[in-house]
Amino acid sequence: MEIQTAISLQGSDLAVAAAALFACSAAARPCCGRCSATLFAHLDDIYEWGAAALARSGGTFPYRGMWGGGSSGVVTAVPANVEHMLRANFANYPKGNYYRKRFAELLSEGIFNADGEAWRAQRRAATVEMHSAQFVTYSTGTIDQLVHGRLLPLRDAGDAVDLQEVLLRFTLDNICAAAFGADAECLTVARGGLPDVPFERTTELSLARFVAAPGNHGYAVLIQ
């Protein structure tokens, strides 16, 4: 009994200490630390919530993932910041192992998940292909087919739609057709409305993995 009591007290002490450490950490970083918990509470309107958060912060704010997760960074929608990172000084902003590991199942070693020479090699190949006359002709034909075969019938149906969602679906259909020669059918109108998009679900799962602590699978329950 004495041994059991001592162990219980030690466990309680550790729990109190951990809670105090978490509270102090959050207090020391009032602008951070809240992003993950708030994000999980807004999974149903994550785009609207993100846009509102950016508007309140003037276009840029720091974030920190779950306590113990090691995820932190800066979210920005300021055009000058985006240009600096993606064009003027791109080499100074690698994705890093933390990012690549969490998006590996979704993006593999493709251009959107690569760093360094691997990224440069893929970018050179993509640039040559996308500027070829054959690709431009094919892409133009694909867009024409999607506009007349998907967008116009959707308009003629007369139902109210979310224009942002429709344009996102149009973009994904166009990318899949141009890059992979496959029809994602995101704008295929069926009984009951537009179909679910598995890619969107996969993206949400990857985002949750990005902000959650390693080994924490609670996000899988939260977003189901």
Side-chain angles (χ1 to χ4, degrees), residues 22 25 29 32-33 35-36 63-74 95-102 207-216:
F22 176 76
S25 175
R29 291 184 293 268
C32 306
C35 183
S36 293
Y63 81 91
R64 184 172 295 277
M66 284 186 173
W67 183 55
S71 171
S72 63
V74 176
K95 300 172 184 69
N97 290 330
Y98 189 96
Y99 181 101
R100 294 201 306 272
K101 287 180 180 178
R102 281 152 182 78
L207 175 62
R209 177 185 292 174
F210 182 72
V211 299
N216 187 334

Side-chain angles (χ1 to χ4, degrees), residues 5 10 26 52 81 136 201 204 212 217-218:
T5 302
Q10 289 175 4
N81 294 342
V136 172
R201 180 67 169 169
E204 291 174 353
H217 300 292

Side-chain angles (χ1 to χ4, degrees), residues 14-73:
L14 289 173
V16 172
L21 180 61
F22 176 76
C24 292
S25 175
R29 291 184 293 268
C31 292
C32 306
R34 297 175 298 178
C35 183
S36 293
T38 308
L39 183 147
F40 285 126
H42 287 275
L43 287 173
D44 291 336
D45 62 343
I46 189 169
Y47 301 112
E48 291 81 2
W49 169 78
L54 284 166
R56 289 194 303 269
S57 65
T60 302
F61 64 86
Y63 81 91
R64 184 172 295 277
M66 284 186 173
W67 183 55
S71 171
S72 63

Side-chain angles (χ1 to χ4, degrees), residues 151-166:
L151 284 183
L152 294 184
L154 185 62
R155 180 204 63 181
D156 296 340
D159 297 326
V161 297
D162 183 334
L163 184 59
Q164 180 176 348
E165 180 185 0
V166 169

Side-chain angles (χ1 to χ4, degrees), residues 51-135:
L54 284 166
R56 289 194 303 269
S57 65
T60 302
F61 64 86
Y63 81 91
R64 184 172 295 277
M66 284 186 173
W67 183 55
S71 171
S72 63
V74 176
V75 177
T76 185
V78 177
N81 294 342
V82 175
E83 182 177 8
H84 171 76
M85 289 185 289
L86 297 184
R87 180 182 178 186
N89 203 16
F90 182 79
N92 195 48
Y93 299 93
K95 300 172 184 69
N97 290 330
Y98 189 96
Y99 181 101
R100 294 201 306 272
K101 287 180 180 178
R102 281 152 182 78
F103 284 96
E105 292 180 351
L106 175 62
L107 302 174
S108 187
E109 298 296 326
I111 189 171
F112 296 112
N113 206 35
D115 268 334
E117 185 55 39
W119 175 84
R120 282 188 287 271
Q122 293 187 61
R123 184 179 185 276
R124 284 194 295 268
T127 300
V128 172
E129 179 64 27
M130 292 180 67
H131 285 82
S132 69
Q134 184 178 9
F135 179 83

